[in-house]
């Protein structure tokens, strides 16, 4: 067998594979002999079928199968040995008059080659790195929410402006019938507030859905409908009151502090507020980091210029899927995936040049940290090391989980690298301003 490469240009090449009869003959003959031993053909005893008949019936199929195996194995080996960085897979060139009866068989494959380029983490324009702070207003609101959540419910005879009302929303035309609890301080319209205040258990009021709540997202859960249906909904709904309660805020005492954070961890209102601020800013950091990662990705794609073997990739997309695509469909698919492909190449270059690797031991520690944070969400604040080891071992035995965690850890390594080397400008903002700036 002889394999040669013809360079078309920097991004395209053709590999020619010449296979002689000696490369495949022994293997084909052996398989056909095995077929002969097992063949059951009417008129012949098992194992006594003439080899000519076996060759006539199975010879071409066996030949094609074995030659294709040879091609696949040797072509992959050649690409590895020659260190050819290819995009997609080699595409066999169409040979309409191919003759499988010849002793020597010649094949050609088109290759799309990865471009050569440099990545500069010091982008021309600085990328904003947001530092989100929990301001005094936010901390105070969180303290109020905690007091409300852990407070006592006191039954009332009529609705006041700060009460919670349990009842059922109905609208026959829209097939709405949903029991829910609403908070009066979440109601927006003065007309709706006036309609509810002073009402008693058993009373029914009619309310306009549009602008009913201060936050639009509350309408879908209150009416028990999808967010899409709730968006822009303009109907009247009836609300039948079944229960009225006032929520007495919980006292900011040691009992509450221990319930929230564990015994003795927090012992004063100031420490509570400091803890809320610290925990909030840790959560905000994750959002800010994701924003930073996205923004640097966009900036690197924009500023790192290189050509792709576009025509090859469109052709590869056209025939490589489960169902072949038309030329127009392949072109559209390429345009959708081009940005992602460019970043894959850029990211691969950054990882290689900075020797970023995921080692088993650090992946295991990363998994344990992830497991610990998950446990904390369910109130298990201080798991034992043996427990973490046990859960981590189960997670690490799942290949899908290992892949997912490896990708997350590599993203963290890239983020750390960007924070160290990228062109960044730090901007301190409140969470509210971050949302406005980042997602407006």
């Amino acid at each position: 067998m002889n394999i040669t490469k013809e360079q078309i240009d920097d991004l395209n090449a053709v590999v020619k594979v010449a296979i002689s009869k000696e490369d495949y003959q022994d293997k084909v003959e052996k398989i056909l002999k095995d077929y002969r031993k097992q063949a059951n053909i009417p008129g012949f005893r098992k194992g006594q079928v003439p080899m000519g008949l076996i060759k006539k019936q199975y010879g071409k199929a066996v030949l094609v199968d074995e030659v294709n195996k040879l091609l696949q194995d040797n072509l992959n080996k050649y690409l590895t040995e020659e260190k050819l960085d290819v995009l997609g897979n080699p595409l066999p060139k169409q040979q309409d008059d191919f003759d499988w009866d010849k002793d020597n068989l010649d094949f050609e494959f088109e290759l799309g080659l990865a471009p050569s380029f440099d990545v500069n983490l010091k982008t021309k324009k600085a990328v904003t790195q947001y530092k989100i702070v929990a301001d005094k207003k936010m901390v105070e609101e969180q303290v109020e929410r905690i007091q409300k959540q852990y407070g006592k419910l006191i039954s009332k005879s009529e609705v006041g402006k700060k009460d919670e009302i349990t009842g059922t929303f109905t609208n026959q035309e829209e097939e709405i019938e949903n029991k829910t609890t609403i908070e009066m301080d979440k109601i927006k319209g003065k007309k709706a507030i006036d309609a509810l205040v002073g009402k008693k258990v058993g009373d029914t009021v009619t309310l306009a859905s549009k602008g009913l709540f201060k936050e639009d997202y509350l309408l879908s859960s209150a009416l028990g409908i999808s967010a899409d249906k709730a968006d822009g909904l303009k109907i009247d709904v009836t609300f039948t009151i079944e229960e009225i309660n006032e929520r007495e805020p919980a006292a900011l005492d040691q009992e509450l502090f221990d319930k929230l954070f564990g015994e003795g961890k927090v012992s004063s209102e100031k420490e509570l507020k400091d803890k809320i601020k610290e925990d909030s800013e840790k959560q905000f950091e994750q959002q800010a980091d994701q924003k930073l990662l996205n923004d640097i990705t966009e900036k690197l794609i924009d500023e790192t210029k290189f050509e792709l073997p576009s025509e090859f990739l469109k052709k590869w997309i056209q025939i490589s899927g489960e169902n072949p695509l038309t030329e127009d469909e392949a072109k559209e698919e390429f345009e959708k995936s081009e940005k992602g492909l460019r970043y894959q190449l850029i990211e691969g270059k950054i990882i290689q040049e900075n020797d970023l690797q995921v080692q088993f031991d650090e992946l295991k520690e990363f998994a344990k940290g992830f497991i610990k944070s998950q446990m904390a969400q369910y109130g298990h604040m201080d798991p034992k090391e043996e427990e973490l080891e046990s859960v981590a071992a189960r997670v690490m035995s799942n290949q899908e989980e290992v892949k997912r965690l490896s990708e997350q850890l590599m993203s963290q390594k890239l983020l750390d690298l960007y924070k160290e080397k990228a062109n960044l400008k730090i901007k301190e903002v409140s969470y509210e301003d971050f949302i406005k700036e980042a997602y407006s």
Side-chain angles (χ1 to χ4, degrees):
M1 181 181 297
N2 185 39
I3 303 181
T4 57
K5 177 171 72 77
E6 178 187 345
Q7 194 76 26
I8 306 300
D9 55 39
D10 288 343
L11 299 173
N12 296 275
V14 172
V15 168
K16 298 179 180 180
V17 184
I19 297 180
S20 65
K21 190 172 184 178
E22 290 76 21
D23 294 320
Y24 60 80
Q25 186 174 25
D26 289 348
K27 186 71 173 173
V28 169
E29 290 290 341
K30 182 181 182 304
I31 291 172
L32 290 175
K33 284 176 183 176
D34 290 340
Y35 274 27
R36 186 185 181 212
K37 291 175 186 175
Q38 302 299 324
N40 284 311
I41 296 178
F44 299 95
R45 283 185 297 166
K46 187 175 179 180
Q48 298 300 314
V49 180
M51 180 55 82
L53 186 58
I54 294 293
K55 285 185 177 180
K56 184 177 180 181
Q57 193 162 346
Y58 302 109
K60 183 64 67 66
V62 172
L63 170 66
V64 171
D65 190 44
E66 287 307 308
V67 167
N68 279 329
K69 286 179 185 175
L70 271 174
L71 282 171
Q72 186 175 1
D73 292 345
N74 287 278
L75 189 55
N76 288 339
K77 185 179 176 185
Y78 175 80
L79 296 177
T80 302
E81 289 176 348
E82 295 295 314
K83 297 179 180 176
L84 294 176
D85 193 1
V86 299
L87 300 179
N89 292 315
L91 289 179
K93 292 188 78 171
Q94 189 68 35
Q95 293 173 276
D96 295 327
D97 57 348
F98 193 81
D99 185 2
W100 283 97
D101 293 324
K102 290 168 61 177
D103 287 345
N104 297 317
L105 305 171
D106 295 316
F107 300 88
E108 293 186 357
F109 295 86
E110 295 178 62
L111 301 181
L113 304 177
S116 176
F117 60 91
D118 294 317
V119 181
N120 185 4
L121 294 180
K122 294 285 184 186
T123 52
K124 295 171 188 173
K125 190 174 179 182
V127 177
T128 300
Q129 179 182 358
Y130 289 97
K131 178 175 172 53
I132 308 171
V133 294
D135 56 21
K136 185 177 179 181
K137 179 188 173 190
M138 172 174 278
V139 173
E140 292 291 350
E141 286 175 350
Q142 183 65 12
V143 170
E144 284 181 23
R145 276 196 290 272
I146 289 170
Q147 286 184 277
K148 208 171 184 182
Q149 181 182 346
Y150 289 90
K152 294 177 183 176
L153 285 177
I154 301 171
S155 181
K156 291 187 64 179
S157 59
E158 62 180 49
V159 178
K161 287 188 176 182
K162 292 187 177 181
D163 294 338
E164 296 178 10
I165 319 167
T166 298
T168 300
F169 279 106
T170 55
N171 178 291
Q172 288 187 348
E173 273 186 31
E174 297 293 333
E175 298 182 342
I176 292 170
E177 185 171 353
N178 189 58
K179 183 172 180 176
T180 188
T181 298
I182 59 175
E183 298 173 41
M184 283 296 293
D185 59 6
K186 300 287 176 66
I187 300 294
K188 181 180 180 182
K190 183 177 184 301
K191 192 173 180 182
I193 294 170
D194 290 344
L196 288 164
V197 169
K199 293 296 183 292
K200 299 177 180 180
V201 171
D203 288 347
T204 297
V205 295
T206 300
L207 303 168
S209 65
K210 182 173 171 58
L212 180 57
F213 295 101
K214 291 176 182 177
E215 301 290 343
D216 290 340
Y217 74 89
L218 292 171
L219 184 64
S220 62
S221 60
L223 301 186
I225 58 177
S226 68
D228 287 342
K229 185 174 179 179
D231 186 28
L233 186 68
K234 296 180 182 179
I235 60 170
D236 285 339
V237 288
T238 59
F239 184 67
T240 302
I241 300 171
E242 299 167 25
E243 191 178 331
I244 305 166
N245 290 298
E246 178 185 1
R247 191 173 286 271
E248 183 182 277
L252 295 176
D253 56 19
Q254 195 61 48
E255 182 183 351
L256 177 63
F257 302 151
D258 290 348
K259 194 180 290 184
L260 290 170
F261 303 107
E263 193 172 340
K265 298 281 179 70
V266 169
S267 55
S268 69
E269 185 176 336
K270 181 181 183 305
E271 286 182 16
L272 169 67
K273 290 178 179 179
D274 289 344
K275 181 67 174 164
I276 290 171
K277 180 177 173 66
E278 179 188 345
D279 290 348
S280 297
E281 289 179 355
K282 276 182 185 175
Q283 291 179 5
F284 297 155
E285 188 177 355
Q286 293 176 2
Q287 286 182 266
D289 281 351
Q290 188 58 56
K291 172 68 176 164
L292 178 62
L293 199 57
N294 293 343
D295 288 348
I296 290 178
T297 296
E298 291 291 331
K299 188 64 70 178
L300 288 173
I301 292 171
D302 184 52
E303 293 193 9
T304 308
K305 305 296 184 184
F306 54 83
E307 296 296 320
L308 289 170
S310 304
E311 293 309 311
F312 168 85
L313 289 169
K314 289 173 195 172
K315 198 183 299 183
W316 176 69
I317 288 170
Q318 188 177 356
I319 67 172
S320 63
E322 192 173 324
N323 299 309
L325 305 177
T326 65
E327 281 189 28
D328 287 342
E329 288 171 336
K331 181 183 177 184
E332 185 180 347
E333 194 61 34
F334 171 72
E335 288 169 355
K336 284 182 191 172
S337 58
E338 181 181 3
K339 195 173 185 179
L341 174 58
R342 286 183 177 276
Y343 186 66
Q344 279 181 24
L345 293 169
I346 292 168
E347 186 183 82
K349 184 92 169 175
I350 293 169
I351 289 170
Q352 180 187 21
E353 288 183 346
N354 293 276
D355 194 27
L356 301 182
Q357 298 176 26
V358 172
Q359 305 290 350
F360 179 82
D361 287 345
E362 63 179 346
L363 182 61
K364 186 178 175 183
E365 288 304 311
F366 183 76
K368 283 160 68 176
F370 178 76
I371 292 161
K372 193 172 181 179
S373 68
Q374 292 290 99
M375 287 180 168
Q377 289 181 23
Y378 294 97
H380 194 0
M381 305 301 292
D382 194 21
K384 293 181 179 178
E385 182 64 21
E386 309 89 79
E387 191 177 1
L388 288 173
E389 283 282 344
S390 175
V391 178
R394 289 202 301 274
V395 169
M396 298 292 281
S397 67
N398 184 317
Q399 288 302 309
E400 285 298 314
E401 282 296 305
V402 169
K403 182 184 176 188
R404 185 177 65 82
L405 288 168
S406 296
E407 289 169 353
Q408 288 181 359
L409 180 53
M410 182 54 74
S411 288
Q412 185 59 53
K413 285 175 175 282
L414 285 165
L415 184 64
D416 292 342
L417 179 72
Y418 295 155
K419 286 181 178 179
E420 179 188 349
K421 295 188 175 182
N423 183 12
L424 304 177
K425 59 177 181 183
I426 296 174
K427 185 172 185 180
E428 194 169 289
V429 292
S430 68
Y431 183 71
E432 189 176 341
D433 288 339
F434 170 74
I435 294 299
K436 286 178 184 174
E437 286 192 33
Y439 303 109
S440 60

